């Protein structure tokens, strides 16, 4: 390993001589600071930029500079970028959530595109910085993009990508897991066992809720909400009630067909209903799962009043975004109603929980892991990278962001298109005919 120019803080390059074991193109550099010269930034920004940000570099001679604010699973996404002449820089900073200043430092004075994370605040300041550096594309490694000010991106002509579809089933499976964990009190029972409290079978020990024949309620029956509904209907023979701004015809057809199948086999058929209001779902359902997007119409959708509408023994699951639920009201409701249970993957002030939530036995809490399966996370990285690459190369936008499978086939080259650009229309980007 050779070390150069260690006298200057901003140029501490460490060349790794060993080829990386999995990346096809072996050249990796590590350094502790990107070039930050000639940027017009507020003084406060410059001051915090003085701190070096550590990065790892692949294909240093690539024509296009693409920055990823985090290391992401898999290597396909890196290979796809370097095969198309990109120099890939991955931030290796230990800090979990990067600040706007950290990201400005990463962007530097020449950057063609950035792959970022849902924890980052992609607003006016960052899009201005990216645009100054010649950047044309940003992609969240997430389907939700409520951390992105799309209007600001439009103002600077920056394409904004997201990663739909590849995480639908994985996220729905976690929502189903939380539904079961809450219904059958799995975490409480696990803690009881580990505490050495089990001294024999008892008729009343950890009695929970049977799902079969009960009603599952879905708020936001889009990709994930529909996949979850199908799992609960087919897996546990639950009836469905859903609320969405749009009708989910495919979901309705599925439940109808499954109901007919059950009937033909002499079993009680399942039913479905599209509710005219969210309150109808809250009143009728035994398990309610939240899957809407996060915007001002869904902020505190579940609050003190809506909680009061729900059955005393209902189960509430949230795998959408934390602020969809008023968490202070939820803690109070959990205290007042010990038979009411929740399964939460997301939190209002992530990564923090509101006071009292951690003490509630009737709450199952996990750290925003709904999309965390290996296949999905690698696929998300691939889609995010291809969103950025597509814009850099001038490719059109894929026609149907709900059908992203062709981009995920590891044995074939991906289509020459950006899989999902949310502001394609606003920017007037061409749509692929493939
Ligand atoms: N916890 C996680 O790790 C995780 C993983 C993936 C997605 N998500 C969240 O889930 C959200 C949904 O993802 P998706 O792929 O299913 O998106 P989607 O766009 O397919 O579905 C969202 C649905 O919400 C509906 N909706 C919008 N406003 C509504 C309202 N006011 N009331 C009721 N329904 C409303 C839409 O009509 C749409 O059908 C994402 O935006 C993201 O925030 C979280
Ligand atoms: O929106 C998303 O994709 C999730 O929150 C992370 O997978």
């Amino acid at each position: 390993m050779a070390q150069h120019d260690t006298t200057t803080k901003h140029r501490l390059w460490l060349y790794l001589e060993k080829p990386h074991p999995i990346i096809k193109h072996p050249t990796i550099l590590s350094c502790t600071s990107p070039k930050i010269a000639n940027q017009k930034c507020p003084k406060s920004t410059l001051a915090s930029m003085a701190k070096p940000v550590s990065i790892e570099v692949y294909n240093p001679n690539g024509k296009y500079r693409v920055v990823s604010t985090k290391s992401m699973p898999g290597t396909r996404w890196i290979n796809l970028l370097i095969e198309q002449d990109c120099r890939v820089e991955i931030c290796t900073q230990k800090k979990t959530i990067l600040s706007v200043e950290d990201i400005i430092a990463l962007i530097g004075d020449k950057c063609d595109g950035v792959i970022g994370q849902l924890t980052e605040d992609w607003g006016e300041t960052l899009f201005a910085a990216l645009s100054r550096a010649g950047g044309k594309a940003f992609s969240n490694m997430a389907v939700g993009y409520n951390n992105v000010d799309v209007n600001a991106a439009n103002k600077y002509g920056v394409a904004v990508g997201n990663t739909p579809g590849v995480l639908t089933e994985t996220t729905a499976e976690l929502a189903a897991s939380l539904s079961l964990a809450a219904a059958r009190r799995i975490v409480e029972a696990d803690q009881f066992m580990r505490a050495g409290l089990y001294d024999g079978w008892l008729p009343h020990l950890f009695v929970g809720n049977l799902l079969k024949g009960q009603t599952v309620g879905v708020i936001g029956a889009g990709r994930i909400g529909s996949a979850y509904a199908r799992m609960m209907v087919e897996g546990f023979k639950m009836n469905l009630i859903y609320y969405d701004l749009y009708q989910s015809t495919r979901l309705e057809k599925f439940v109808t067909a499954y109901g007919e199948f059950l009937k033909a086999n002499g079993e009680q058929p399942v039913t479905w209903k599209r509710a005219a209001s969210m309150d109808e779902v809250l009143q009728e359902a035994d398990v309610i799962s939240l899957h809407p997007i996060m915007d001002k119409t869904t902020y505190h959708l579940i609050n003190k009043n809506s909680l009061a509408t729900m059955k005393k023994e209902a189960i509430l699951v949230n795998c959408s975004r934390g602020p969809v639920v008023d968490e202070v009201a939820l803690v109070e409701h959990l205290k007042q109603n010990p038979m009411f249970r929740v399964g939460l993957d997301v939190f209002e002030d992530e990564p923090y929980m509101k006071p009292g939530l951690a003490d509630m036995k009737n709450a199952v809490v996990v750290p925003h892991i709904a999309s965390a399966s290996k296949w999905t996370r690698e696929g998300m990285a691939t889609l995010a990278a291809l969103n950025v690459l597509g814009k850099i190369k001038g490719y059109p936008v894929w026609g149907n962001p709900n059908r992203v499978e062709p981009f995920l086939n590891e044995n074939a080259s991906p289509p020459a298109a950006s899989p999902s650009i949310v502001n394609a229309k606003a920017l007037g980007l061409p749509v692929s005919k493939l």
Side-chain angles (χ1 to χ4, degrees):
M1 189 184 283
Q3 202 165 318
H4 302 275
D5 200 5
T6 49
T7 46
T8 325
K9 238 186 178 180
H10 293 291
R11 291 253 180 101
L12 188 67
W13 296 91
L14 297 171
Y15 292 82
L16 302 182
E17 284 172 350
K18 279 188 193 162
H20 192 282
I22 26 188
I23 303 293
K24 281 189 222 154
H25 300 247
T27 317
I28 309 166
L29 311 172
S30 289
C31 79
T32 51
S33 176
K35 283 209 270 171
I36 53 168
N38 301 330
Q39 282 198 137
K40 283 181 188 158
C41 303
K43 267 191 183 153
S44 59
T45 306
L46 285 170
S48 44
M49 276 181 357
K51 272 194 178 170
V53 181
S54 56
I55 54 170
E56 198 169 71
V57 184
Y58 296 87
N59 195 28
N61 298 322
K63 180 173 169 193
Y64 310 104
R65 181 170 174 258
V66 175
V67 170
S68 175
T69 61
K70 285 280 163 208
S71 160
M72 300 191 292
T75 52
R76 185 170 179 246
W77 70 274
I78 303 174
N79 287 327
L80 287 168
L81 287 171
I82 58 186
E83 276 162 16
Q84 300 266 352
D85 211 5
C86 295
R87 169 190 167 106
V88 181
E89 295 189 15
I90 302 172
C91 178
T92 52
Q93 199 83 350
K94 286 279 176 282
K95 197 174 172 187
T96 301
I97 300 178
L98 296 185
S99 66
V100 166
E101 288 74 21
D102 293 331
I103 298 170
I104 287 175
L106 280 171
I107 289 171
D109 57 6
K110 195 258 177 201
C111 179
D112 297 284
V114 177
I115 302 163
Q117 301 297 325
L118 59 87
T119 47
E120 298 157 6
D121 180 8
W122 278 85
E124 173 87 25
T125 312
L126 285 184
F127 286 116
L130 183 55
S131 168
R132 271 197 305 271
K136 291 275 175 284
F138 163 77
S139 183
N140 241 14
M141 184 210 168
V143 65
Y145 53 92
N146 52 296
N147 61 312
V148 181
D149 180 346
V150 180
N151 289 330
N154 292 344
K155 181 173 153 191
Y156 292 98
V158 177
V160 174
N162 72 339
T163 63
V166 66
L167 40 63
T168 297
E169 302 291 327
T170 300
T171 305
E173 284 180 14
L174 199 272
S177 309
L178 288 175
S179 306
L180 288 174
R184 301 304 299 272
R185 307 174 62 184
I186 288 173
V187 174
E188 269 182 271
D190 176 281
Q191 285 168 351
F192 176 85
M193 282 299 288
R194 289 170 200 271
L197 297 172
Y198 182 51
D199 54 11
W201 191 92
L202 279 172
H204 290 294
L205 198 58
F206 291 110
V207 172
N209 302 3
L210 172 70
L211 299 182
K212 183 174 184 251
Q214 292 208 327
T215 298
V216 61
V218 172
I219 314 282
R223 286 175 292 248
I224 299 168
S226 292
Y228 167 83
R230 287 173 62 149
M231 285 175 195
M232 302 309 282
V233 167
E234 190 179 359
F236 306 106
K237 297 182 180 142
M238 298 184 83
N239 298 310
L240 171 69
I241 179 166
Y242 78 93
Y243 175 70
D244 197 297
L245 311 177
Y246 302 96
Q247 184 174 11
S248 188
T249 317
R250 286 180 60 184
L251 177 60
E252 293 173 1
K253 279 187 184 158
F254 173 85
V255 184
T256 302
Y258 186 52
E260 281 162 7
F261 168 81
L262 290 174
K263 204 170 164 190
N265 283 281
E267 290 190 62
Q268 179 74 19
V270 288
T271 61
W272 63 265
K273 178 159 132 189
R274 181 181 175 201
S277 69
M278 189 183 76
D279 274 1
E280 214 178 311
V281 176
L282 301 181
Q283 280 158 19
E284 289 185 27
D286 302 288
V287 179
I288 293 152
S289 198
L290 308 172
H291 298 285
I293 56 160
M294 176 71 230
D295 66 6
K296 43 182 193 298
T297 71
T298 59
Y299 176 77
H300 282 192
L301 207 57
I302 301 297
N303 52 38
K304 191 176 177 207
N305 294 337
S306 42
L307 286 163
T309 314
M310 294 170 68
K311 294 180 182 176
K312 293 272 183 236
E313 297 189 4
I315 288 164
L316 177 69
V317 171
N318 189 10
C319 286
S320 59
R321 284 288 182 265
V324 172
V325 175
D326 175 346
E327 211 171 290
V328 169
L330 177 66
V331 172
E332 197 46 41
H333 192 77
L334 288 165
K335 281 183 188 159
Q336 302 301 325
N337 299 277
M339 300 305 283
F340 182 93
R341 290 198 276 272
V342 287
L344 303 175
D345 180 53
V346 287
F347 304 88
E348 194 167 356
D349 303 327
E350 229 163 288
Y352 308 106
M353 286 188 275
K354 292 285 190 199
L357 183 58
D359 303 324
M360 302 312 303
K361 280 193 161 44
N362 43 352
V364 178
V365 288
V366 294
H368 206 148
I369 54 166
S371 66
S373 72
K374 185 175 179 289
W375 182 82
T376 287
R377 286 284 165 87
E378 291 186 5
M380 289 164 74
T382 296
L383 294 183
L386 291 176
N387 281 333
V388 168
L389 180 69
K391 184 65 174 66
I392 290 174
K393 301 286 282 187
Y395 296 158
V397 174
W398 191 238
N400 186 354
N402 293 324
R403 295 267 169 271
V404 291
E405 295 82 2
F407 295 92
L408 303 170
N409 179 358
E410 302 216 356
N411 302 314
S413 294
S418 286
S420 179
I421 299 294
V422 302
N423 57 348
K425 230 185 210 164
L427 297 184
L429 302 180
V431 177
S432 164
K433 304 240 176 342
L434 290 172

